Amino acid sequence: MAERRLLRVLSGESVSPPPVWLMRQAGRYLPEYRELRAKAGGFLDLCYDPDLATEVTLQPIRRFGFDAAILFSDILVIPDALRRGVRFEAGEGPRMEPIAPHEIASLDPSGADMHLAPVIATVARLRRELPDETTLIGFCGAPWTVATYMIAGRGTPDQAPARLFGYRHPEAMTELLFLLAEMSADYLVRQLQAGADCVQIFDSWAGVLDEASFEAYAVAPVRRIVEKVRASVPNARIIGFPKGAGALLTNYREKTGVDALGLDWSVPLSQAQALQSGGAVQGNLDPLRLIAGGRALDEGVDRILDALGSGPLVFNLGHGITPDAPIAHVEALLRRVRGG
Ligand code: CP3
């Protein structure tokens, strides 16, 4: 079999037209997702049911023929496996028990393998059911981003609770991040062994860290994950997405060793071009251009293709697709990227 297009890009090849997928491509903007979600009960029930999770992962592939499928799950299955009482309340986002510094030493990862077994079963099943040419992407949250939810017990606008925790209790923070790094590395290895072609590490909250904290809390734990994953799966291909990392992106790629950098829409295309000389980049259309459609969408796509299309590029949004994205605009995006 010819190597899947997205994997060729992660190896540094330029592929034209670029492979394309969208972060959060399975989700509420799709009527077929909303219908299945309404029947499934809780969101986590959906994540832990291999039949339903497989179906939801395949929905956007059937409808749009994206070059890659991303496993349907959530980054918060790791704190759920640590029994932090994770729940998703309708219209409110995630909730869990906020963790205090003295509780970190007693976190027990020993049940995680069994807890996450249904997700691994979904990966195996997906690789069997996906078209041969479709890349299967596994994922986890970066330790820092997962920790921000564990500390606040919910999402917050600037993750101030976790930043303060880091300044007041740096040893406890480091201990938490390295526990999460070990668990996440094991989890990614199992996904790769079950049939994921590559993995993405989502650090959605990297951008709230100052320079020194970025080094300690975003770079070091992700470097540990990359090393540990490659110790088991030597050629593992890994996309890092440190959202908001800006001027620290080069440093992040060099020090973590990820193969490709996911870029949010605030990264200037000239910087993205410079980053491409060191390896593949993924991104970085503003998800709101997809909502607006028309000229805003076409111009946004064209600028990215003009600047980055002749180098190793995975076309994507700069963050997840939102529930109000019109399906016709997703179709228009794909036609434009693929030159149809
Ligand atoms: O299609 C895909 O991209 C795969 C599945 C996926 C989900 N979440 C499904 C989901 C992936 C890769 C994620 C990652 C994730 N989850 C991140 C990192 C990426 C990012 O968006 O920054 C984060 C921070 C989370 C945590 C999380 N999960 C939040 C904050 C929320 C609530 C916000 C929201 O959009 O509702 C979720 C819920 C969630 N995860 C949904 C989906 C489809 C919506 C839940 C529902 O259907 O009710």
Side-chain angles (χ1 to χ4, degrees):
M1 184 201 70
E3 200 181 25
R4 297 181 176 113
R5 286 158 45 79
L6 190 139
L7 294 180
R8 285 166 51 201
V9 172
L10 298 190
S11 304
E13 244 185 85
S14 308
V15 173
S16 180
V20 50
W21 67 282
L22 303 181
M23 287 187 276
R24 290 281 187 101
Q25 65 191 17
R28 285 164 296 183
Y29 74 107
L30 291 176
E32 58 269 36
Y33 173 84
R34 293 195 299 269
E35 194 186 317
L36 190 144
R37 171 82 170 79
K39 284 192 262 174
F43 171 69
L44 283 175
D45 300 323
L46 190 53
C47 296
Y48 296 133
D49 182 323
D51 290 332
L52 299 181
T54 298
E55 171 58 23
V56 171
T57 306
L58 295 175
Q59 285 174 346
I61 306 304
R62 285 193 204 108
R63 194 188 260 274
F64 303 114
F66 289 119
D67 292 276
I70 181 160
L71 164 69
F72 188 83
S73 179
D74 198 82
I75 65 167
L76 300 178
V77 296
I78 293 283
D80 192 49
L82 287 168
R83 296 185 286 278
R84 301 306 301 166
V86 176
R87 56 212 182 264
F88 287 82
E89 279 150 24
E92 286 193 33
R95 295 283 184 276
M96 69 191 82
E97 300 315 314
I99 194 161
H102 69 269
E103 290 179 281
I104 286 169
S106 55
L107 285 172
D108 175 15
S110 64
D113 268 18
M114 218 163 69
H115 188 89
L116 298 170
V119 182
I120 304 304
T122 305
V123 173
R125 176 98 164 253
L126 278 168
R127 194 53 280 174
R128 288 196 300 272
E129 294 195 17
L130 278 167
D132 207 41
E133 66 274 15
T134 311
T135 303
L136 176 57
I137 305 173
F139 74 93
C140 69
W144 163 250
T145 286
V146 173
T148 63
Y149 290 95
M150 291 181 75
I151 291 165
R154 58 194 297 154
T156 68
D158 53 5
Q159 304 299 29
R163 285 153 63 203
L164 276 171
F165 188 110
Y167 294 129
R168 288 179 176 147
H169 312 286
E171 289 82 15
M173 178 62 100
T174 302
E175 194 182 340
L176 174 58
L177 295 176
F178 279 82
L179 172 78
L180 294 172
E182 297 302 307
M183 288 177 76
S184 304
D186 291 344
Y187 181 46
L188 293 183
V189 166
R190 290 172 73 208
Q191 293 181 37
L192 289 160
Q193 288 171 342
D197 295 299
C198 60
V199 291
Q200 174 155 324
I201 302 173
F202 286 89
D203 212 347
S204 309
W205 291 99
V208 300
L209 292 165
D210 70 17
E211 186 177 8
S213 306
F214 184 86
E215 192 70 30
Y217 299 156
V219 172
V222 171
R223 174 172 55 224
R224 174 66 192 143
I225 294 177
V226 171
E227 281 168 358
K228 195 170 178 197
V229 169
R230 294 216 177 109
S232 293
V233 185
N235 56 353
R237 272 165 286 197
I238 305 175
I239 306 167
F241 177 48
K243 182 169 183 289
L248 299 171
L249 279 162
T250 307
N251 175 45
Y252 177 92
R253 172 154 52 204
E254 284 169 2
K255 291 194 177 146
T256 60
V258 296
D259 299 280
L261 278 177
L263 308 178
D264 65 77
W265 68 91
S266 73
V267 177
L269 293 173
S270 55
Q271 186 192 353
Q273 258 172 345
L275 287 165
Q276 245 182 350
S277 63
V281 298
Q282 171 175 282
N284 72 341
L285 188 78
D286 183 349
L288 293 190
R289 287 190 183 267
L290 187 62
I291 305 296
R295 226 175 95 186
L297 176 60
D298 290 350
E299 288 177 357
V301 170
D302 291 353
R303 283 196 198 109
I304 292 171
L305 293 177
D306 288 347
L308 306 175
S310 57
L313 170 68
V314 177
F315 196 98
N316 206 319
L317 302 176
H319 198 197
I321 189 168
T322 49
D324 51 346
I327 284 169
H329 294 181
V330 177
E331 289 164 349
L333 177 150
L334 280 167
R335 277 196 304 275
R336 195 103 187 158
V337 172
R338 291 177 167 164

